[in-house]
Amino acid sequence: DQRLQLVRNVMRSRSNIDQITVVDPAGHPLVTAVSDQSTPVLKLAELVTHDYFQTAVRIGHATVSGTLEHLADGQLGVVVASPFYDGNGTLAGVACLVVRLDNVAPFIERFGDLPQAEVTVTDTAGRILYSGSRTGRRAGDILANTPLLKAPKVTSAKLFEYQRDVAGHNEGPM
């Protein structure tokens, strides 16, 4: 089928995507592709119950899961849920991607709008789960008393949303 071929081509060209699942508004699968068939991260029966899925549908744009997923190879990833619409503006479905953190940081650092950007991911206790190569930090270290940990505390439901007020400028957590 054309949809499956398209999804597989996207995954081949973007090594940071571990899984793509596209569902209709009720959560019925339209197409799915996963790098490791034995351990898909997104479970279709649970997908529509997650906060990131429900929020994406409610607000009408992409959201990122606030919790990290363990991938088959032991690396960490996040889920991005993005609604899409038909020609009449009616919700046609949601595309969900599992994005690998180990490939995201080098991509952001090399090609992002902010070439000086550094990527650090922590748990709620401030323990570093993942850190880009330029941060000088290591997984397992504790990150304390830093503005990096204060901004996410103003968000709710473990979701991080950013509003663009000027093209290319992010205003931070909403």
Side-chain angles (χ1 to χ4, degrees):
D1 144 340
Q2 271 187 319
R3 290 183 288 196
L4 181 58
Q5 189 60 43
L6 177 65
V7 166
R8 285 183 178 157
N9 287 340
V10 168
M11 287 184 65
R12 269 196 283 287
S13 68
R14 302 285 183 220
S15 61
N16 60 321
I17 299 174
D18 204 62
Q19 180 177 349
I20 299 175
T21 298
V22 181
V23 297
D24 68 14
H28 300 112
L30 298 175
V31 65
T32 192
V34 61
S35 60
D36 183 346
Q37 295 293 335
S38 65
T39 56
V41 173
L42 299 173
K43 311 287 192 283
L44 289 173
E46 304 167 359
L47 190 57
V48 297
T49 66
H50 289 286
D51 287 345
Y52 56 81
F53 184 95
Q54 294 173 1
T55 302
V57 170
R58 181 175 45 80
I59 64 177
H61 63 79
T63 59
V64 179
S65 63
T67 56
L68 299 174
E69 302 289 344
H70 290 277
L71 307 178
D73 63 1
Q75 293 295 324
L76 296 172
V78 295
V79 179
V80 177
S82 181
F84 60 94
Y85 301 87
D86 65 18
N88 297 323
T90 303
L91 179 67
V94 178
C96 299
L97 289 76
V98 177
V99 181
R100 303 176 58 87
L101 293 182
D102 60 335
N103 288 333
V104 170
F107 180 82
I108 291 171
E109 291 168 352
R110 184 167 176 202
F111 299 110
D113 289 339
L114 299 171
Q116 71 278 16
E118 297 177 351
V119 178
T120 302
V121 178
T122 68
D123 63 13
T124 56
R127 183 181 42 172
I128 296 174
L129 301 173
Y130 178 82
S131 187
S133 62
R134 297 188 316 199
T135 67
R137 298 182 177 100
R138 294 180 313 225
D141 289 351
I142 301 297
L143 196 60
N145 299 322
T146 173
L148 288 173
L149 296 177
K150 293 178 182 170
K153 290 183 180 177
V154 300
T155 63
S156 62
K158 299 180 186 173
L159 297 172
F160 299 89
E161 301 170 23
Y162 293 86
Q163 179 178 5
R164 290 186 184 273
D165 66 338
V166 176
H169 176 72
N170 284 329
E171 277 302 309
M174 292 177 18

